Amino acid sequence: MRQDSAMELAVEQQAVPQRDVRTLPKAHLHLHFTGSMRPTTLLELAEKHRVRLPEALSKGTPPKLRATDERGWFRFQRLYDTARSVLRDEQDIRRLVRETAEDEVADGSRWLEIQVDPTSYAPRLGGLIPALELILDAVAEAAGSTGVGIRVLVAANRMKSPMDARTLARLAVRYQDAGVVGFGLSNDERRGLARDFDRAFAIARRADLLAAPHGGELAGPESVRDCLDDLGAGRIGHGVRAAEDPRLMQRLADRQVTCEVCPASNVALGVYEQAPAVPLRRLFEAGVPIALGADDPLLFGSRLAAQYELARTVHGFSDAELAELARQSVRGSRAPEWVRKELLGEIDTWLTKPGAAVGS
């Protein structure tokens, strides 16, 4: 954006009261299970189970992270694993899901698709099947009490065996009628090849589960192409670096493959040095569907509404454009058709209301 245009936009935004992004109805499609935990809950559960937290997690503020090299990613993963270790019993799981749903309500999220690798919790919760059944039951309970629609994406770990991924894909299919809507692949996309997991994704796709692997964050646009070509991705976790390849952006736009862009975590992990460098505007103007996501609020310090605020204040998105981002998140979801229609109508209503000072 040219400097004079940016100044004009700033003047315009000061002159016209802006609508509160927290009241904008939206869907949240990129949120990890442990990473959705409140910092205060982490501290309380660590005390409950006598888990000693490293200083980076014990202060109640987001740790300083950078994962663009192997050492940085290892540190990030170690902190994440430590946070996960405080989730040890049924009450912990139900508390995390309930509080996450409450936080979604506060941010205007009306539909959440939360990602979880149940193998991470299985040893403490009685096994793989009991762990997933508990999570799904907690999700149904929290959805009922808060009014947020919640579904689950079962995610395999790229650092583990493709055979483990196939086991998880079959498990995801088995619980499709209990709240599982998709199958993902997380962890460092620079490690291993997407095609090593093609059989797992084929199992999921045959059952009409959404294929939503991570790609195009720590690795470049080639990782997005691999997700499309080798895994049949219908949605891309992150995908932000597709902006480096115009032909790939066109492909995503033509196929309407949604990218789950997480601006705050992109900066926190060092993918981009500063918030303005995240190519959110470039993807948007290329017609790539975008669903803004918070990724891991516990470690990155901001939840869903803050991503919309970043789009407004850093990338110059108008209220009409923010509403379109919200629509794209809804269209990219696996929400039932009636839920989509309802949310799209509420987004239109949000735009018809006069702007008010944020927080008023």
Side-chain angles (χ1 to χ4, degrees):
M1 182 183 293
R2 298 195 327 268
Q3 185 174 2
D4 55 348
S5 299
M7 291 179 62
E8 291 170 5
L9 177 65
V11 171
E12 178 185 348
Q13 290 180 336
Q14 288 177 357
V16 180
Q18 297 171 331
R19 296 165 182 83
D20 190 341
V21 294
R22 294 170 300 182
T23 64
L24 171 61
K26 56 185 79 71
H28 196 178
L29 308 184
H30 196 107
L31 183 68
H32 292 276
F33 193 79
T34 294
S36 71
M37 196 187 319
R38 294 172 180 171
T40 51
T41 298
L42 171 66
L43 297 177
E44 290 172 16
L45 292 182
E47 183 177 2
K48 170 185 173 182
H49 297 298
R50 298 182 180 180
V51 175
R52 183 175 180 180
L53 298 175
E55 184 180 357
L57 292 176
S58 62
K59 295 184 291 186
T61 56
K64 293 183 178 180
L65 299 166
R66 188 176 184 87
T68 50
D69 56 43
E70 189 167 337
R71 182 177 179 182
W73 179 261
F74 175 78
R75 179 173 181 267
F76 165 74
Q77 193 61 54
R78 185 174 58 186
L79 291 175
Y80 196 92
D81 291 343
T82 301
R84 183 190 290 122
S85 73
V86 307
L87 297 167
R88 300 198 170 194
D89 58 36
E90 178 178 343
Q91 290 71 34
D92 301 340
I93 297 295
R94 292 189 185 279
R95 176 180 178 177
L96 179 143
V97 176
R98 183 186 68 253
E99 291 178 349
T100 295
E102 292 168 353
D103 291 336
E104 292 293 306
V105 170
D107 273 3
S109 171
R110 299 287 304 282
W111 182 265
L112 168 65
E113 294 177 8
I114 193 165
Q115 187 165 162
V116 62
D117 176 359
T119 60
S120 302
Y121 310 92
R124 296 188 178 96
L125 298 176
L128 193 57
I129 290 174
L132 182 58
E133 288 185 347
L134 171 58
I135 290 166
L136 291 171
D137 190 62
V139 160
E141 182 179 63
S145 64
T146 63
V148 177
I150 312 176
R151 297 295 184 271
V152 170
L153 274 81
V154 171
N157 188 335
R158 190 185 286 265
M159 306 290 282
K160 295 182 179 179
S161 164
M163 291 187 67
D164 292 340
R166 276 175 252 164
T167 298
L168 284 174
R170 294 186 185 98
L171 186 68
V173 171
R174 176 176 173 177
Y175 287 90
Q176 187 173 11
D177 293 335
V180 175
V181 295
F183 185 67
L185 182 65
S186 61
N187 214 305
D188 187 351
E189 68 244 35
R190 297 167 297 190
R191 303 290 293 271
L193 300 172
R195 65 173 175 264
D196 291 339
F197 299 90
D198 57 355
R199 292 176 64 183
F201 276 84
I203 292 168
R205 292 198 316 274
R206 280 197 297 269
D208 197 34
L209 289 177
L210 173 71
H214 281 50
E217 184 195 27
L218 298 175
E222 67 282 354
S223 68
V224 176
R225 284 193 296 271
D226 290 345
C227 287
L228 295 172
D229 296 337
D230 298 331
L231 305 181
R235 206 165 75 205
I236 301 291
H238 295 294
V240 67
R241 293 187 61 189
E244 298 169 18
D245 184 336
R247 292 180 64 181
L248 179 58
M249 283 197 294
Q250 187 62 53
R251 183 179 177 187
L252 293 167
D254 290 345
R255 296 189 180 188
Q256 288 295 282
V257 175
T258 299
C259 288
E260 305 159 3
V261 178
C262 306
S265 72
N266 289 161
V267 176
L269 291 178
V271 177
Y272 299 101
E273 292 297 329
Q274 295 180 328
V278 177
L280 185 62
R281 171 69 65 180
R282 194 182 318 158
L283 291 164
F284 182 78
E285 292 184 349
V288 177
I290 295 168
L292 294 180
D295 204 0
D296 295 291
L298 174 66
L299 296 179
F300 303 132
S302 61
R303 295 190 177 273
L304 182 59
Q307 314 309 310
Y308 282 80
E309 199 59 50
L310 277 172
R312 167 187 276 162
T313 59
V314 175
H315 301 282
F317 277 64
S318 66
D319 281 3
E321 290 172 324
L322 293 174
E324 179 56 25
L325 285 175
R327 291 189 195 98
Q328 290 177 6
S329 73
V330 172
R331 296 186 193 114
S333 75
R334 276 297 179 106
E337 189 59 33
W338 70 269
V339 173
R340 294 190 194 195
K341 290 175 100 175
E342 183 177 288
L343 289 181
L344 291 173
E346 291 178 5
I347 292 168
D348 291 341
T349 300
W350 181 82
L351 262 183
T352 65
K353 295 179 180 178
V358 174
S360 65

